[in-house]
C-alpha cells in the first residue's frame, strides 16, 4: 500500500480525492494545481513540474512510493523517473473505457478498496443511465467537443470520443 504518492494527471488526482486518498498525495504536476475541479485542494502540495516531463529531482525529494501518470500518454522522461526508486503506475482515470479498472487499481494502491468500489459503482450506474437513455433516442445529434485549449477536439478513441459515443451522438472530430 502506498502512503506517499506523486500524481502527474488531474484525472487520477480526482479519483484519489473521490476515494478518500487525498492525504496520501505529496506531489502533483502543475496541471493538477491549475485544474478547475481539484486544483484548490492542492494549493499547498509540492509541484513537480509539467506532467509530460516532471522534475525527477523534485520527485525524489518527496520520497514517493508511487508515481501515477497517464497510461495513454506516459511521461517523456520515463528513464529519469525510473531512477527515483518509486513504482510508476499508469492510470488514465479520464477514459470511460478504463475508468472502472482505474478506480479499482487506485483503491488497491491506497488501501481504499471499499471507497473505490462504492465510487466505481456510482460511475457505472451513471454510465448505464446515459447509455440507456441514449438508446431510446430516435436521432443522433452531432457534437463538437472542445478540449483544454481552443480548437482542440476529441479524436477517434479518445476519452471525449468515448463519452460522445456512449451518449449516442456523432463526434465531428472523430476523423480529425
Amino acid at each position: 500500500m502506498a502512503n506517499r504518492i506523486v500524481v502527474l494527471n488531474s484525472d487520477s488526482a480526482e479519483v484519489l480525492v473521490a476515494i478518500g486518498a487525498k492525504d496520501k498525495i505529496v506531489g502533483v504536476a502543475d496541471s493538477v494545481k491549475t485544474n478547475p475541479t481539484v486544483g484548490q485542494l492542492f494549493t499547498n502540495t509540492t509541484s513537480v513540474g509539467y506532467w509530460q516531463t516532471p522534475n525527477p529531482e523534485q520527485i525524489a525529494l518527496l520520497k514517493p512510493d508511487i508515481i501515477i501518470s497517464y497510461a495513454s500518454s506516459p511521461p517523456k522522461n520515463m528513464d529519469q523517473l525510473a531512477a527515483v526508486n518509486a513504482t510508476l503506475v499508469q492510470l488514465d482515470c479520464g477514459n470511460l473505457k478504463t475508468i472502472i479498472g482505474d478506480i479499482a487499481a487506485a483503491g488497491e494502491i491506497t488501501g481504499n478498496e471499499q471507497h473505490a468500489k462504492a465510487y466505481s459503482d456510482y460511475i457505472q450506474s451513471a454510465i448505464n443511465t446515459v447509455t440507456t437513455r441514449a438508446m431510446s433516442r430516435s436521432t443522433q445529434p452531432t457534437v463538437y467537443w472542445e478540449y483544454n485549449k481552443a480548437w482542440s477536439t476529441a479524436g477517434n478513441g479518445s476519452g471525449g470520443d468515448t463519452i460522445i459515443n456512449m451518449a449516442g451522438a456523432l463526434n465531428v472530430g472523430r476523423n480529425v
Side-chain angles (χ1 to χ4, degrees):
M1 177 172 65
N3 290 309
R4 300 182 61 77
I5 302 172
V6 168
V7 183
L8 302 180
N9 69 63
S10 56
D11 296 318
S12 293
E14 287 180 38
V15 166
L16 291 171
V17 169
I19 66 169
K22 181 203 171 291
D23 61 325
K24 296 176 185 265
I25 299 172
V26 296
V28 295
D30 294 340
S31 57
V32 176
K33 287 180 143 305
T34 59
N35 180 283
T37 305
V38 294
Q40 71 279 4
L41 300 173
F42 297 101
T43 55
N44 295 323
T45 305
T46 302
S47 175
V48 297
Y50 184 57
W51 67 274
Q52 284 189 311
T53 53
N55 184 320
E57 292 84 15
Q58 183 64 46
I59 293 172
L61 291 173
L62 297 172
K63 298 180 178 15
D65 304 310
I66 288 182
I67 302 166
I68 298 177
S69 74
Y70 280 115
S72 58
S73 186
K76 294 178 181 178
N77 59 346
M78 293 277 282
D79 55 332
Q80 294 174 336
L81 294 177
V84 172
N85 197 27
T87 302
L88 186 60
V89 176
Q90 296 177 313
L91 303 173
D92 282 328
C93 294
N95 189 325
L96 289 181
K97 291 179 184 175
T98 62
I99 188 71
I100 302 302
D102 288 348
I103 293 169
E108 191 173 320
I109 288 165
T110 61
N112 292 31
E113 291 95 339
Q114 288 182 312
H115 288 350
K117 174 75 170 103
Y119 186 53
S120 65
D121 287 349
Y122 167 76
I123 296 294
Q124 187 62 60
S125 174
I127 291 169
N128 294 345
T129 298
V130 169
T131 303
T132 300
R133 289 180 183 170
M135 290 184 343
S136 69
R137 275 204 321 261
S138 60
T139 61
Q140 185 179 31
T142 302
V143 174
Y144 169 73
W145 175 298
E146 190 163 281
Y147 266 131
N148 301 346
K149 55 186 175 184
W151 307 109
S152 175
T153 190
N156 188 22
S158 68
D161 184 54
T162 300
I163 291 169
I164 292 167
N165 292 325
M166 286 181 136
L170 177 64
N171 178 12
V172 299
R174 184 176 192 104
N175 295 319
V176 175

